[in-house]
Amino acid sequence: METQIAGVKLTNPVCNASGPRDTTFEELQYIAHTESSVIVMKSCTINPREGNPEPRYKKTEYGSIQAMGLPNLGYHEYIKYAHILRAYDKPIMASVAGINIEDYAIIVQSFQSNNDVDLIEINLSCPNAGKSIIGYDLASMEEVLKQISKLGCIPIGLKLPAYYDDRYFEKVTDLVLKYNISFISCINSIGNTLCIDIDTESPVISPQEGFGGLSGHYIKPVAIANVRRFYRLLQGRVSIFGVGGVSSGKDVFEYILMGADAVQIGTAFQEEGEYAFQRILFEFEFILKKKGYKTIADFKGNLKYQ
Ligand code: RRO
C-alpha cells in the first residue's frame, strides 16, 4: 500500500483533501488519528477569514456544491498546529492560498523556515475567493511560481483547476518543469456551477447567488482525465495527487491506473468522517488482491488502450 509524493513516504495512497473538516486544531488532530496517510490542512491566507454566510455547503445526489469562501484561521495558526502535529509521526501538508499574488511568498517562506510540514500545496484554483482563478491566468501563475519556487527545501506542489483545453495542459506542464514543482494535485472543485432545489425554486446554497464549486461523483471523469493528461506530459518527473469524486476503492484504482501516486478525499470524508478512509482502503485492497497486484507500482499509469 506504500506510495510516495515528492519523495515523502505515505503508508497508503489515501488522505484527506484540503477543505473538509481540516480547519481547526481539533479537526486536524482527528485526521491524525484516522487512516488518512497525510494530515492535509485547510488552505490558509495571511489573515483569518470567516468565509461566506451559511448555508454554504450542500450534499447533493451526485456529490456536493459549496461556496465556503476560504474560511481559515490565518497561516500563523497552521504553523503552530503543524509543530504540535509533528508528534503524530505522519506527513503534514500545508495548503497555501493568496488573496493577492504577493501573499503566497510570505506564507510559503514561513512554512519553509519553520520546517514542520513535509509538503506545501499551493492552491491556485479556489473558485470562491471572489477573484479570477490564478490557474487559468498563466502570466499570474508564473509570477507566483517565480516568487515561491526558491524559498526552501520542502517540496512544493500545485493544486490545479480542471483544464479542458490542450494548450493549457502543455503550458502548465512547461511551468511545472521550469519552476521545479515537485507534485501537482488535480483537480479542485469545478467552479461556477449551480444546483437547484425545485421545491423552493432556489439554489441549494446561498452565497454568490448559489454559484459554487462542484465536487464528488459528478467531477470524477474530468478529474481522472486531467490526471491522465498531466501524467503523459510529465512522464514521471513530478508526483500526482488525484482529487475529485473518490468515494470507493474502485475510484482509487482508477486514479492510480491513470498515473496518480495517491488520492485525496473531500466529499466522502465530509459526509462519512474517518470511516471513509477505512472503507475505501478496504475496498481498494480487495481489488488489488483480486487482480493479483502486490504493489501500486504494478499497475500505476498502465491504462490499456483497446
Ligand atoms: O474555501 C473555499 O471556498 C474553497 C477553496 Br479555498 C478551494 O480551494 N476550493 C473550493 O472548492 N472551495
Side-chain angles (χ1 to χ4, degrees), residues 42-43 66-71 123 126-128 188-189:
K42 172 70 184 170
S43 292
Q66 47 68 40
M68 302 302 288
L70 250 170
N123 187 350
C126 175
N128 304 318
N188 208 316
S189 67

Side-chain angles (χ1 to χ4, degrees), residues 79 107 121 136 143 161 177 252-253 281 285 294:
I79 299 253
I107 303 174
E121 189 179 74
Y136 290 141
E143 192 50 46
L177 296 174
V252 181
F253 187 87
L281 278 169
E285 264 178 354
K294 295 206 164 47

